[in-house]
Amino acid sequence: MSINPSGWKPEMGADETAEVVTFTGNRALMLEEPLLFEYSDFGDTGVDFPPAPVVAPRLGGLDRNRPIGLPGLSEPQAVRHYTRLSRQNYAIDLGLFPLGSCTMKHNPRLNEKMARLPGFGDIHPLAPVSTVQGAFELIDLVGTWLKTLTGMKAVAMSPKAGAHGELCGLLAIRSALEARGDARSVVLVPESAHGTNPATAAFCGYVVENIPATAEGRVDLEALKARLGPDIACMMITNPNTCGLFERDMIAISEAVHAAGALVYCDGANFNAIVGRVRPGDLGIDAMHINLHKTFSTPHGGGGPGSGPVVFSEALAPFAPLPFVEQQSDGSFILVEEETAGDYHAQSFGRMAAFHGQMGMFVRAAAYMLSHGADGLRQVAEDAVLNANYILRRLDDVLDAPFGKSGPCMHEALFSDDGFPEGFSTIDVAKGLIDEGFHPMTMYFPLVVHGAMLIEPTETEGKAGIDQFIGALRSVAERARAGDVSLKAAPHFAPRRRLDETLAARKPVLAWKEPVQAEAAE
Ligand SMILES: *Cc1c(COP(=O)(O)O)cnc(C)c1O
């Protein structure tokens, strides 16, 4: 079979390479790769199976009675397919990944080595507790560090991502309010919140209301106070917020929320900026998730595994989910479950997951914490903030920094497309950055800023790398400001030219070709 069965030919820009079209569609080491469904051999297989025995139907008529049209591939085809695709991917191991809010930091290889130790990697969640004491000790160690770093009373390790942690926190808050006979109906969320915040509140059955931001990019305390009342269950707040600013009024916000009988949920996805410097427990927060896959390294993105432990204040601790690991007075570890939970935990709202959570993420987080130590973790926050401020100040003459006058930013620098000529927007800058060999920054988020560009270098980037990124972004921003039309056609050098993103979203072509042969074989 041919390597390029769909006959795809690279679309060339109006440059001097326009005439050069290769037979394969490949451009030197940039290899074209069709979809699996475009490999035309549905009969191929990497393994020789004996013919299936004929058996009587046993599924009450649900039996599959025709081929399902999955492409057949030999082993080399499968390996090459994914290897070729992986070469077209951008990754943190290739370069700076400036996605704001995502905290895409380098994941030390030590973490990977530890996570793959058979004693951690090969254990089963149903293994007898006496045989996995070391794993329990590690879960307890990470939990203890999270409680220490946040100054909070309890921790739930089982939530599997930030959004899952938000759900865990809000379920605990709802249980606490219901336990006092005061179920409330409204959750307040700042305008700049990450989309998971209102989504979580709505999923829990709450009405979501926005609290506006001040001109300097922080929660409007007076607007919040004006809205607080007996129907408010909780305020969900992100600190540092998604504009990259520390919410300086946090204690006053918590006091006002508590005075109104409501609870404070903190979205702790940005903990990277304050770890070792600020303890959210001292700011009056009742529940906060921590994205282990952001603050404590661990590769993420592309749907890769995450982990979102939630820390709780004294008021919410009894409502935290089960099961959890607890150390006994003899030093051994037990699992506190529904049957073994004492009166204190009888109010637990239930389970977030079948078992303990993401063991591999716990091991990576533990390796990261232990290798940094207390002073190292504090330096993480300091370096992340320093790097972001360096970017903010080196670029604010070519890009509008809407909150540049609100003081230093935290771990991410926020720019807008203000000042671009008609027809130019953030997307053009993003596509220009691809030509420069960088993954684009977060675009059009937070929504409170027009054409937002949210840039987070993290602490793992050194000055030379950041200077190169700044140089690239300056150049692209200057082209945008000058109305350089070539930028509108970027990327010029990527495996694909600019896509019609609206068409791709509205009319996705999920399989290029109907599996005709599979039907015919029926
Ligand atoms: C990443 C992020 C989330 C969601 O976390 P996931 O682990 O992706 O579910 C929520 N809020 C903010 C501010 C984030 O950056």
Side-chain angles (χ1 to χ4, degrees):
M1 68 171 296
S2 81
I3 286 178
N4 186 15
S6 67
W8 185 86
K9 289 281 186 291
E11 184 194 327
M12 289 292 177
D15 53 43
E16 68 279 7
T17 57
E19 284 83 59
V20 185
V21 176
T22 57
F23 170 75
T24 51
N26 297 334
R27 277 169 284 170
L29 293 179
M30 191 126 65
L31 300 179
E32 273 308 310
E33 185 59 16
L35 301 179
L36 281 180
F37 288 90
E38 294 174 289
Y39 281 87
S40 53
D41 291 316
F42 282 79
D44 273 2
T45 161
V47 202
D48 290 330
F49 289 114
V54 179
V55 291
R58 283 170 299 185
L59 295 174
L62 288 175
D63 305 61
R64 202 181 80 204
N65 52 23
R66 61 191 183 95
I68 55 172
L70 288 180
L73 296 177
S74 66
E75 182 174 322
Q77 281 177 324
V79 170
R80 285 177 182 163
H81 176 73
Y82 289 106
T83 305
R84 284 181 182 148
L85 290 185
S86 75
R87 286 164 39 119
Q88 298 186 358
N89 222 345
Y90 193 86
I92 191 73
D93 289 345
L94 285 172
L96 174 77
F97 217 115
L99 276 182
S101 218
C102 293
T103 313
M104 303 292 290
K105 61 170 73 169
H106 170 68
N107 177 54
R109 289 302 172 274
L110 175 69
N111 300 0
E112 294 304 310
K113 197 164 179 187
M114 295 300 111
R116 282 166 177 72
L117 290 176
F120 292 129
D122 294 347
I123 51 178
H124 191 278
L126 290 176
V129 168
S130 64
T131 66
V132 288
Q133 284 288 304
F136 275 24
E137 183 173 353
L138 182 132
I139 295 175
D140 186 66
L141 175 91
V142 174
T144 301
W145 265 98
L146 294 179
K147 286 186 285 183
T148 307
L149 289 165
T150 57
M152 301 283 272
K153 171 90 167 60
V155 62
M157 298 297 288
S158 53
K160 300 202 172 190
H164 203 216
E166 291 172 30
L167 179 63
C168 174
L170 255 64
L171 289 176
I173 286 173
R174 192 171 73 184
S175 301
L177 290 172
E178 283 172 359
R180 69 176 201 221
D182 187 19
R184 296 172 169 217
S185 58
V186 179
V187 167
L188 300 178
V189 171
E191 273 180 329
S192 61
H194 191 274
T196 50
N197 293 189
T200 300
F203 189 71
C204 290
Y206 288 110
V207 174
V208 181
E209 284 185 32
N210 276 343
I211 295 295
T214 60
E216 65 159 23
R218 298 187 166 95
V219 169
D220 187 332
L221 179 59
E222 293 316 312
L224 168 66
K225 282 183 177 163
R227 182 57 191 90
L228 285 169
D231 57 336
I232 307 298
C234 150
M235 168 79 180
M236 289 183 97
I237 187 164
T238 309
N239 198 12
N241 69 24
T242 53
C243 297
L245 301 173
F246 190 76
E247 293 285 357
R248 292 187 193 132
D249 289 336
M250 194 60 229
I251 291 178
I253 290 171
S254 298
E255 282 172 1
V257 171
H258 288 150
L263 292 142
V264 182
Y265 184 87
C266 182
D267 179 331
N270 296 336
F271 193 46
N272 196 52
I274 57 172
V275 61
R277 300 272 314 194
V278 177
R279 298 192 314 165
D282 298 337
L283 304 177
I285 282 149
D286 294 296
M288 178 177 112
H289 75 259
I290 298 153
N291 304 57
L292 292 188
H293 51 289
K294 295 179 180 173
T295 303
F296 299 104
S297 76
T298 272
H300 67 108
S307 179
V310 179
V311 286
F312 293 100
S313 65
E314 186 117 38
L316 281 183
F319 304 93
L322 298 169
F324 58 88
V325 170
E326 194 170 72
Q327 188 167 26
Q328 304 279 85
S329 50
D330 68 357
S332 67
F333 294 86
I334 58 159
L335 197 59
V336 179
E337 296 185 272
E338 286 80 350
E339 308 76 45
T340 48
D343 288 345
Y344 182 74
H345 296 289
Q347 291 172 295
S348 162
F349 70 76
R351 283 181 182 238
M352 287 305 292
F355 302 112
H356 315 282
Q358 308 278 46
M359 189 64 203
M361 307 300 114
F362 300 156
V363 181
R364 289 176 179 88
Y368 187 79
M369 289 168 169
L370 293 176
S371 56
H372 278 72
D375 55 338
L377 287 177
R378 169 187 268 257
Q379 197 185 337
V380 160
E382 291 168 351
D383 289 353
V385 170
L386 182 65
N387 282 351
N389 278 283
Y390 181 59
I391 288 177
L392 182 67
R393 298 308 168 197
R394 285 277 320 268
L395 286 164
D396 63 4
D397 57 330
V398 288
L399 286 171
D400 171 59
F403 304 122
K405 294 197 172 62
S406 305
C409 64
M410 297 304 290
H411 60 310
E412 49 201 2
L414 179 59
F415 299 101
S416 85
D417 64 358
D418 200 28
F420 288 0
E422 184 74 28
F424 284 80
S425 178
T426 296
I427 185 106
D428 304 311
V429 175
K431 300 297 182 190
L433 267 182
I434 293 175
D435 276 340
E436 293 285 351
F438 284 105
H439 191 286
M441 63 281 150
T442 291
M443 303 187 288
Y444 302 109
F445 174 81
L447 304 177
V448 290
V449 166
H450 192 269
M453 296 171 229
L454 189 61
I455 299 171
E456 178 175 3
T458 82
E459 71 283 0
T460 55
E461 297 302 325
K463 182 165 179 297
I466 295 181
D467 280 337
Q468 198 193 29
F469 174 73
I470 289 171
L473 186 48
R474 276 196 84 81
S475 156
V476 176
E478 275 162 2
R479 285 167 64 201
R481 290 181 89 89
D484 176 351
V485 288
S486 74
L487 193 59
K488 293 295 301 177
H492 297 270
F493 306 126
R496 286 292 180 277
R497 302 298 300 276
R498 195 180 297 206
L499 304 174
D500 183 336
E501 306 203 358
T502 311
L503 191 67
R506 295 277 159 78
K507 296 196 174 142
V509 181
L510 298 177
W512 184 255
K513 185 168 59 181
E514 289 300 316
V516 183
Q517 279 138 337
E519 297 288 340
E522 199 175 326

